[in-house]
Amino acid sequence: MKKRAVALILICLLLAGCGETAPRANARTVFAMDTVMNLTVYGGNDTQLNAAEQELHRLDAALARGTEGSAVYALNRDGTAAGTELAYLVRSALAISEATDGAFDVTVAPVLELWGFGSGAGEHRVPTEAELAEALAHVGAARLHTDGDTDHVTLDLPAQIDLGGIAKGYAALCVKQKLEAAGATGAVLDLGGDVALLGTKPDGSNWRVAVKDPADGGAYLGVLATDGGRFVMTSGVYERYFEENGVRYHHIIDPRTGCPAESGIVSATVVCGDGIWADALATACCVVGADASLALRARLANETPFELILVTGDGRVLYTCDGFTPEAGNGYTYEKVS
């Protein structure tokens, strides 16, 4: 039976010291992308929140591959589609796939469906080796193409794409931009546990994000202090899974094998200035494991810098963030990695 665990990231809005001059927090709860999202804008207004909510619903429809009329639906059906947004996302996905040596791949959609983790809402089951081989024959970034600098995208059918691995990161980026354009100076966007931070807290201090313990929804690993302009995105093998014959199978599929990743990573939190990369890299890190994740961070340091908080199956927490303060006494072993 599929289980939806609690969100990995809990925002701590520590506004002590703001006094009576602190701007009022305007909040809105939105259900989009199959997720409960909480938007909080300081000193904002209903107009800003309305724009943010409308953008989330627009993106929900535009990026869902099962929504007839979306560019993704058209691409999967016809093998060709055009659109500035689609082309931008496909180029981003292809760049991330190349950077991660295929650990992140939006063409893994047919394999997700086999396991029952796709948008087709099929039953969870372990596919046969023959079924996996057939699906994997149509998986790979080489089957997805963009036409130079145009908005034209093509797909080698019967390959299929699913943008779910970058959808919330892109949504966070778009909503953040909408709020900035509307004059918001401070906001926390919690898109089902994936977080975007805009501007500064009312008292001028860093935002504080409590990173939840993947093994205990009522506890946390530590608190991350960071400035605005950051995206804090998490993927974890505990989020969606099913059990068959006493074996647990999770939803983070290794595109290279077609099976749930066995990297030793329980959860990966990525802190980055780019929402799309943060979202995708969190998934990729769960696929490749701790050592390869740290090597990837070093390799991308000049191009797309990011920080990591990795939880391993043997109870270690590896983190690179200077602003992360571990929580004591929870049974984990913490290691700061440079």
Side-chain angles (χ1 to χ4, degrees):
M1 181 177 67
K2 180 173 72 175
K3 172 183 176 183
R4 286 192 176 281
V6 295
L8 182 65
I9 300 293
L10 173 67
I11 294 301
C12 294
L13 305 178
L14 306 181
L15 301 178
C18 292
E20 297 180 357
T21 61
R24 183 173 64 91
N26 292 268
R28 178 81 54 88
T29 298
V30 179
F31 185 79
M33 299 181 175
D34 199 29
T35 302
V36 176
M37 303 181 175
N38 295 296
L39 316 178
T40 305
V41 182
Y42 293 92
N45 52 55
D46 285 343
T47 299
Q48 294 171 341
L49 287 170
N50 288 342
E53 181 174 0
Q54 290 170 7
E55 181 71 351
L56 285 171
H57 289 311
R58 181 192 72 81
L59 290 167
D60 194 358
L63 302 182
R65 70 187 186 93
T67 300
E68 191 169 356
S70 73
V72 177
Y73 183 93
L75 180 63
N76 284 335
R77 180 192 61 200
D78 304 329
T80 182
T84 301
E85 192 165 61
L86 176 65
Y88 171 72
L89 286 169
V90 167
R91 288 193 181 94
S92 298
L94 291 175
I96 298 167
S97 181
E98 181 178 4
T100 61
D101 295 325
F104 178 82
D105 194 327
V106 294
T107 68
V108 76
V111 178
L112 290 173
E113 293 293 347
L114 280 179
W115 289 92
F117 291 122
S119 61
E123 291 187 5
H124 295 306
R125 67 182 182 87
V126 178
T128 66
E129 291 186 8
E131 288 174 324
L132 280 177
E134 169 62 21
L136 284 171
H138 308 296
V139 171
R143 292 162 178 80
L144 183 60
H145 318 276
T146 57
D147 185 10
D149 295 327
T150 72
D151 294 337
H152 191 228
V153 180
T154 57
L155 180 65
D156 299 338
L157 299 178
Q160 300 279 279
I161 71 166
D162 188 323
L163 297 180
I166 56 176
K168 283 202 289 182
Y170 179 62
L173 176 63
C174 290
V175 172
K176 177 174 173 289
Q177 291 172 340
K178 284 281 185 183
L179 290 173
E180 286 174 330
T185 58
V188 176
L189 311 176
D190 178 3
L191 308 189
D194 290 319
V195 175
L197 303 169
L198 164 64
T200 59
K201 285 175 55 178
D203 64 359
S205 64
N206 281 337
W207 299 103
R208 292 169 62 82
V209 180
V211 183
K212 294 293 287 291
D213 183 344
D216 182 354
Y220 57 95
L221 298 171
V223 175
L224 173 67
T226 184
D227 55 11
R230 301 293 181 184
F231 297 84
V232 185
M233 301 282 171
T234 298
S235 290
V237 301
Y238 62 92
E239 293 176 316
R240 296 168 59 196
Y241 62 84
F242 69 95
E243 294 183 1
E244 185 172 309
N245 296 324
V247 180
R248 178 178 292 189
Y249 301 93
H250 60 77
H251 77 295
I252 298 182
I253 302 297
D254 186 336
R256 300 163 297 187
T257 67
C259 296
E262 297 182 353
S263 68
I265 294 293
V266 175
S267 73
T269 297
V270 172
V271 184
C272 183
D274 188 305
I276 295 174
W277 279 78
D279 198 0
L281 287 172
T283 299
C285 289
C286 287
V287 171
V288 302
D291 290 343
S293 295
L294 294 169
L296 178 63
R297 170 179 171 265
R299 193 164 72 244
L300 294 179
N302 295 324
E303 180 183 351
T304 308
F306 65 93
E307 302 300 333
L308 286 168
I309 303 170
L310 303 173
V311 182
T312 68
D314 58 0
R316 295 178 298 146
V317 179
L318 310 176
Y319 65 97
T320 67
C321 315
D322 290 333
F324 180 70
T325 302
E327 176 72 2
N330 58 10
Y332 288 98
T333 300
Y334 291 85
E335 180 181 347
K336 175 69 163 59
V337 182
S338 60

Short mmCIF file of all heavy atoms in Angstrom, two decimals, residues 271-317:
data_model
loop_
_atom_site.label_atom_id
_atom_site.label_comp_id
_atom_site.label_asym_id
_atom_site.label_seq_id
_atom_site.Cartn_x
_atom_site.Cartn_y
_atom_site.Cartn_z
N VAL A 271 20.23 22.58 -1.32
CA VAL A 271 20.03 24.02 -1.15
C VAL A 271 20.72 24.71 -2.30
O VAL A 271 21.94 24.59 -2.46
CB VAL A 271 20.60 24.50 0.19
CG1 VAL A 271 20.30 25.98 0.41
CG2 VAL A 271 20.08 23.67 1.35
N CYS A 272 19.97 25.42 -3.12
CA CYS A 272 20.51 25.95 -4.37
C CYS A 272 19.78 27.23 -4.74
O CYS A 272 18.63 27.45 -4.34
CB CYS A 272 20.35 24.89 -5.47
SG CYS A 272 21.05 25.31 -7.08
N GLY A 273 20.42 28.04 -5.54
CA GLY A 273 19.80 29.27 -6.02
C GLY A 273 18.91 29.07 -7.22
O GLY A 273 18.27 30.02 -7.68
N ASP A 274 18.81 27.86 -7.74
CA ASP A 274 17.98 27.54 -8.89
C ASP A 274 17.01 26.43 -8.49
O ASP A 274 17.42 25.33 -8.14
CB ASP A 274 18.85 27.08 -10.06
CG ASP A 274 18.07 26.90 -11.35
OD1 ASP A 274 17.07 26.15 -11.35
OD2 ASP A 274 18.46 27.49 -12.38
N GLY A 275 15.71 26.73 -8.55
CA GLY A 275 14.71 25.78 -8.11
C GLY A 275 14.66 24.51 -8.93
O GLY A 275 14.46 23.41 -8.40
N ILE A 276 14.83 24.64 -10.24
CA ILE A 276 14.77 23.47 -11.12
C ILE A 276 15.91 22.51 -10.80
O ILE A 276 15.71 21.30 -10.64
CB ILE A 276 14.81 23.90 -12.59
CG1 ILE A 276 13.56 24.72 -12.94
CG2 ILE A 276 14.92 22.69 -13.51
CD1 ILE A 276 13.58 25.31 -14.33
N TRP A 277 17.11 23.04 -10.70
CA TRP A 277 18.27 22.20 -10.41
C TRP A 277 18.17 21.61 -9.00
O TRP A 277 18.52 20.45 -8.79
CB TRP A 277 19.56 23.00 -10.58
CG TRP A 277 20.00 23.11 -12.00
CD1 TRP A 277 19.50 23.95 -12.96
CD2 TRP A 277 21.01 22.34 -12.65
NE1 TRP A 277 20.13 23.75 -14.15
CE2 TRP A 277 21.07 22.77 -14.00
CE3 TRP A 277 21.88 21.33 -12.23
CZ2 TRP A 277 21.97 22.23 -14.92
CZ3 TRP A 277 22.78 20.78 -13.15
CH2 TRP A 277 22.82 21.23 -14.48
N ALA A 278 17.70 22.39 -8.04
CA ALA A 278 17.57 21.88 -6.68
C ALA A 278 16.64 20.69 -6.64
O ALA A 278 16.93 19.66 -6.01
CB ALA A 278 17.07 22.98 -5.75
N ASP A 279 15.51 20.79 -7.32
CA ASP A 279 14.51 19.72 -7.35
C ASP A 279 15.09 18.46 -7.99
O ASP A 279 15.02 17.35 -7.43
CB ASP A 279 13.30 20.21 -8.14
CG ASP A 279 12.05 19.37 -7.88
OD1 ASP A 279 12.11 18.42 -7.10
OD2 ASP A 279 11.00 19.69 -8.48
N ALA A 280 15.68 18.61 -9.15
CA ALA A 280 16.22 17.46 -9.88
C ALA A 280 17.42 16.85 -9.18
O ALA A 280 17.57 15.62 -9.13
CB ALA A 280 16.59 17.87 -11.30
N LEU A 281 18.30 17.68 -8.64
CA LEU A 281 19.50 17.16 -7.99
C LEU A 281 19.16 16.37 -6.73
O LEU A 281 19.86 15.40 -6.39
CB LEU A 281 20.45 18.31 -7.64
CG LEU A 281 21.19 18.93 -8.83
CD1 LEU A 281 21.96 20.18 -8.39
CD2 LEU A 281 22.13 17.94 -9.49
N ALA A 282 18.09 16.75 -6.03
CA ALA A 282 17.69 15.98 -4.85
C ALA A 282 17.35 14.55 -5.24
O ALA A 282 17.72 13.59 -4.55
CB ALA A 282 16.50 16.66 -4.17
N THR A 283 16.66 14.39 -6.37
CA THR A 283 16.35 13.05 -6.86
C THR A 283 17.61 12.32 -7.31
O THR A 283 17.84 11.16 -6.96
CB THR A 283 15.37 13.13 -8.04
OG1 THR A 283 14.16 13.73 -7.59
CG2 THR A 283 15.07 11.75 -8.61
N ALA A 284 18.45 13.02 -8.08
CA ALA A 284 19.68 12.40 -8.59
C ALA A 284 20.59 11.92 -7.46
O ALA A 284 21.20 10.85 -7.54
CB ALA A 284 20.42 13.37 -9.48
N CYS A 285 20.66 12.70 -6.38
CA CYS A 285 21.52 12.31 -5.26
C CYS A 285 21.02 11.03 -4.59
O CYS A 285 21.83 10.20 -4.15
CB CYS A 285 21.62 13.45 -4.25
SG CYS A 285 22.59 14.86 -4.85
N CYS A 286 19.71 10.86 -4.53
CA CYS A 286 19.16 9.61 -3.98
C CYS A 286 19.52 8.43 -4.87
O CYS A 286 19.63 7.30 -4.39
CB CYS A 286 17.65 9.72 -3.83
SG CYS A 286 17.10 10.78 -2.48
N VAL A 287 19.69 8.67 -6.15
CA VAL A 287 20.02 7.61 -7.10
C VAL A 287 21.49 7.24 -7.02
O VAL A 287 21.84 6.05 -7.03
CB VAL A 287 19.65 8.03 -8.54
CG1 VAL A 287 20.19 7.04 -9.56
CG2 VAL A 287 18.13 8.15 -8.68
N VAL A 288 22.38 8.23 -6.93
CA VAL A 288 23.81 7.94 -7.08
C VAL A 288 24.53 7.64 -5.78
O VAL A 288 25.62 7.05 -5.77
CB VAL A 288 24.53 9.09 -7.81
CG1 VAL A 288 23.93 9.33 -9.18
CG2 VAL A 288 24.53 10.37 -6.98
N GLY A 289 23.98 8.06 -4.63
CA GLY A 289 24.63 7.80 -3.36
C GLY A 289 25.48 8.96 -2.85
O GLY A 289 25.67 9.97 -3.54
N ALA A 290 25.99 8.81 -1.64
CA ALA A 290 26.66 9.91 -0.95
C ALA A 290 27.95 10.35 -1.64
O ALA A 290 28.16 11.54 -1.91
CB ALA A 290 26.95 9.51 0.49
N ASP A 291 28.85 9.42 -1.93
CA ASP A 291 30.14 9.80 -2.51
C ASP A 291 29.95 10.48 -3.86
O ASP A 291 30.58 11.52 -4.14
CB ASP A 291 31.03 8.56 -2.67
CG ASP A 291 31.51 8.02 -1.34
OD1 ASP A 291 31.43 8.75 -0.33
OD2 ASP A 291 31.95 6.85 -1.30
N ALA A 292 29.11 9.92 -4.72
CA ALA A 292 28.88 10.51 -6.04
C ALA A 292 28.17 11.85 -5.93
O ALA A 292 28.40 12.75 -6.74
CB ALA A 292 28.08 9.56 -6.91
N SER A 293 27.31 12.03 -4.92
CA SER A 293 26.63 13.30 -4.72
C SER A 293 27.62 14.40 -4.35
O SER A 293 27.56 15.52 -4.86
CB SER A 293 25.57 13.17 -3.62
OG SER A 293 24.55 12.29 -4.00
N LEU A 294 28.54 14.07 -3.46
CA LEU A 294 29.56 15.04 -3.06
C LEU A 294 30.49 15.35 -4.23
O LEU A 294 30.92 16.51 -4.41
CB LEU A 294 30.34 14.50 -1.87
CG LEU A 294 29.53 14.37 -0.57
CD1 LEU A 294 30.31 13.58 0.47
CD2 LEU A 294 29.14 15.74 -0.04
N ALA A 295 30.80 14.35 -5.03
CA ALA A 295 31.63 14.59 -6.22
C ALA A 295 30.90 15.46 -7.22
O ALA A 295 31.51 16.33 -7.86
CB ALA A 295 32.01 13.25 -6.85
N LEU A 296 29.59 15.26 -7.36
CA LEU A 296 28.79 16.09 -8.27
C LEU A 296 28.76 17.53 -7.79
O LEU A 296 28.88 18.46 -8.59
CB LEU A 296 27.37 15.52 -8.34
CG LEU A 296 26.36 16.29 -9.21
CD1 LEU A 296 26.80 16.30 -10.67
CD2 LEU A 296 24.97 15.66 -9.06
N ARG A 297 28.63 17.73 -6.49
CA ARG A 297 28.67 19.09 -5.94
C ARG A 297 29.99 19.78 -6.27
O ARG A 297 30.02 20.95 -6.66
CB ARG A 297 28.46 19.03 -4.43
CG ARG A 297 28.70 20.36 -3.71
CD ARG A 297 28.44 20.22 -2.22
NE ARG A 297 28.87 21.43 -1.51
CZ ARG A 297 30.04 21.57 -0.93
NH1 ARG A 297 30.93 20.57 -0.96
NH2 ARG A 297 30.36 22.69 -0.31
N ALA A 298 31.08 19.07 -6.11
CA ALA A 298 32.39 19.65 -6.41
C ALA A 298 32.52 19.97 -7.89
O ALA A 298 33.06 21.01 -8.27
CB ALA A 298 33.50 18.69 -5.97
N ARG A 299 31.99 19.08 -8.74
CA ARG A 299 32.09 19.27 -10.18
C ARG A 299 31.28 20.47 -10.67
O ARG A 299 31.66 21.15 -11.62
CB ARG A 299 31.65 18.00 -10.89
CG ARG A 299 32.01 17.97 -12.37
CD ARG A 299 31.91 16.56 -12.93
NE ARG A 299 30.54 16.10 -13.07
CZ ARG A 299 30.02 15.08 -12.41
NH1 ARG A 299 30.75 14.41 -11.53
NH2 ARG A 299 28.78 14.71 -12.60
N LEU A 300 30.15 20.73 -10.00
CA LEU A 300 29.27 21.82 -10.44
C LEU A 300 29.49 23.11 -9.65
O LEU A 300 28.71 24.06 -9.80
CB LEU A 300 27.81 21.39 -10.29
CG LEU A 300 27.33 20.25 -11.20
CD1 LEU A 300 25.87 19.93 -10.91
CD2 LEU A 300 27.50 20.64 -12.66
N ALA A 301 30.53 23.16 -8.84
CA ALA A 301 30.73 24.29 -7.94
C ALA A 301 30.78 25.64 -8.64
O ALA A 301 30.28 26.65 -8.12
CB ALA A 301 32.02 24.09 -7.13
N ASN A 302 31.36 25.69 -9.83
CA ASN A 302 31.46 26.96 -10.54
C ASN A 302 30.26 27.25 -11.43
O ASN A 302 29.97 28.41 -11.72
CB ASN A 302 32.74 26.97 -11.40
CG ASN A 302 34.00 26.92 -10.57
OD1 ASN A 302 34.05 27.52 -9.49
ND2 ASN A 302 35.02 26.22 -11.06
N GLU A 303 29.56 26.20 -11.84
CA GLU A 303 28.44 26.36 -12.77
C GLU A 303 27.10 26.52 -12.04
O GLU A 303 26.36 27.48 -12.26
CB GLU A 303 28.37 25.14 -13.69
CG GLU A 303 27.23 25.20 -14.70
CD GLU A 303 27.18 23.93 -15.53
OE1 GLU A 303 28.11 23.11 -15.43
OE2 GLU A 303 26.19 23.75 -16.27
N THR A 304 26.79 25.57 -11.18
CA THR A 304 25.54 25.60 -10.42
C THR A 304 25.86 25.17 -8.99
O THR A 304 25.67 24.01 -8.61
CB THR A 304 24.49 24.64 -11.03
OG1 THR A 304 24.35 24.91 -12.42
CG2 THR A 304 23.14 24.81 -10.34
N PRO A 305 26.34 26.09 -8.16
CA PRO A 305 26.72 25.71 -6.80
C PRO A 305 25.51 25.30 -5.97
O PRO A 305 24.43 25.89 -6.07
CB PRO A 305 27.37 26.98 -6.25
CG PRO A 305 26.84 28.09 -7.10
CD PRO A 305 26.59 27.51 -8.44
N PHE A 306 25.69 24.28 -5.15
CA PHE A 306 24.62 23.85 -4.26
C PHE A 306 25.22 23.21 -3.03
O PHE A 306 26.38 22.79 -3.02
CB PHE A 306 23.67 22.88 -4.96
CG PHE A 306 24.26 21.56 -5.37
CD1 PHE A 306 24.18 20.44 -4.54
CD2 PHE A 306 24.89 21.41 -6.61
CE1 PHE A 306 24.71 19.22 -4.93
CE2 PHE A 306 25.43 20.18 -7.00
CZ PHE A 306 25.34 19.10 -6.15
N GLU A 307 24.41 23.14 -1.96
CA GLU A 307 24.81 22.50 -0.72
C GLU A 307 23.93 21.28 -0.47
O GLU A 307 22.84 21.16 -1.04
CB GLU A 307 24.72 23.48 0.46
CG GLU A 307 25.55 24.74 0.29
CD GLU A 307 27.03 24.48 0.13
OE1 GLU A 307 27.52 23.43 0.64
OE2 GLU A 307 27.72 25.31 -0.49
N LEU A 308 24.40 20.39 0.40
CA LEU A 308 23.74 19.11 0.60
C LEU A 308 23.54 18.78 2.08
O LEU A 308 24.37 19.13 2.92
CB LEU A 308 24.58 17.98 -0.01
CG LEU A 308 24.62 17.83 -1.53
CD1 LEU A 308 25.72 16.87 -1.92
CD2 LEU A 308 23.27 17.33 -2.03
N ILE A 309 22.43 18.11 2.36
CA ILE A 309 22.21 17.42 3.63
C ILE A 309 21.73 16.03 3.26
O ILE A 309 20.62 15.86 2.73
CB ILE A 309 21.17 18.13 4.51
CG1 ILE A 309 21.59 19.59 4.78
CG2 ILE A 309 20.99 17.38 5.83
CD1 ILE A 309 20.51 20.42 5.44
N LEU A 310 22.58 15.02 3.47
CA LEU A 310 22.29 13.65 3.06
C LEU A 310 22.10 12.77 4.30
O LEU A 310 22.89 12.84 5.24
CB LEU A 310 23.44 13.09 2.23
CG LEU A 310 23.84 13.86 0.97
CD1 LEU A 310 25.10 13.26 0.36
CD2 LEU A 310 22.70 13.86 -0.04
N VAL A 311 21.05 11.96 4.26
CA VAL A 311 20.81 11.00 5.33
C VAL A 311 21.00 9.60 4.75
O VAL A 311 20.38 9.26 3.74
CB VAL A 311 19.38 11.12 5.90
CG1 VAL A 311 19.19 10.14 7.06
CG2 VAL A 311 19.12 12.56 6.37
N THR A 312 21.86 8.82 5.37
CA THR A 312 22.16 7.48 4.87
C THR A 312 21.39 6.42 5.66
O THR A 312 20.93 6.65 6.78
CB THR A 312 23.66 7.18 4.96
OG1 THR A 312 24.03 7.08 6.34
CG2 THR A 312 24.49 8.26 4.28
N GLY A 313 21.29 5.26 5.06
CA GLY A 313 20.56 4.17 5.68
C GLY A 313 21.18 3.65 6.96
O GLY A 313 20.50 3.02 7.78
N ASP A 314 22.48 3.92 7.15
CA ASP A 314 23.15 3.46 8.37
C ASP A 314 23.22 4.55 9.44
O ASP A 314 24.01 4.46 10.38
CB ASP A 314 24.55 2.93 8.06
CG ASP A 314 25.44 3.96 7.39
OD1 ASP A 314 24.97 5.09 7.16
OD2 ASP A 314 26.60 3.63 7.07
N GLY A 315 22.39 5.59 9.30
CA GLY A 315 22.24 6.57 10.38
C GLY A 315 23.21 7.73 10.37
O GLY A 315 23.38 8.40 11.40
N ARG A 316 23.83 8.01 9.25
CA ARG A 316 24.73 9.16 9.17
C ARG A 316 24.03 10.34 8.51
O ARG A 316 23.20 10.15 7.62
CB ARG A 316 26.00 8.81 8.39
CG ARG A 316 26.89 7.78 9.04
CD ARG A 316 28.09 7.49 8.16
NE ARG A 316 27.69 6.94 6.88
CZ ARG A 316 28.32 7.17 5.73
NH1 ARG A 316 29.39 7.95 5.70
NH2 ARG A 316 27.90 6.61 4.62
N VAL A 317 24.40 11.54 8.92
CA VAL A 317 23.95 12.77 8.27
C VAL A 317 25.19 13.50 7.79
O VAL A 317 26.01 13.95 8.59
CB VAL A 317 23.14 13.67 9.21
CG1 VAL A 317 22.71 14.95 8.49
CG2 VAL A 317 21.91 12.93 9.75
#
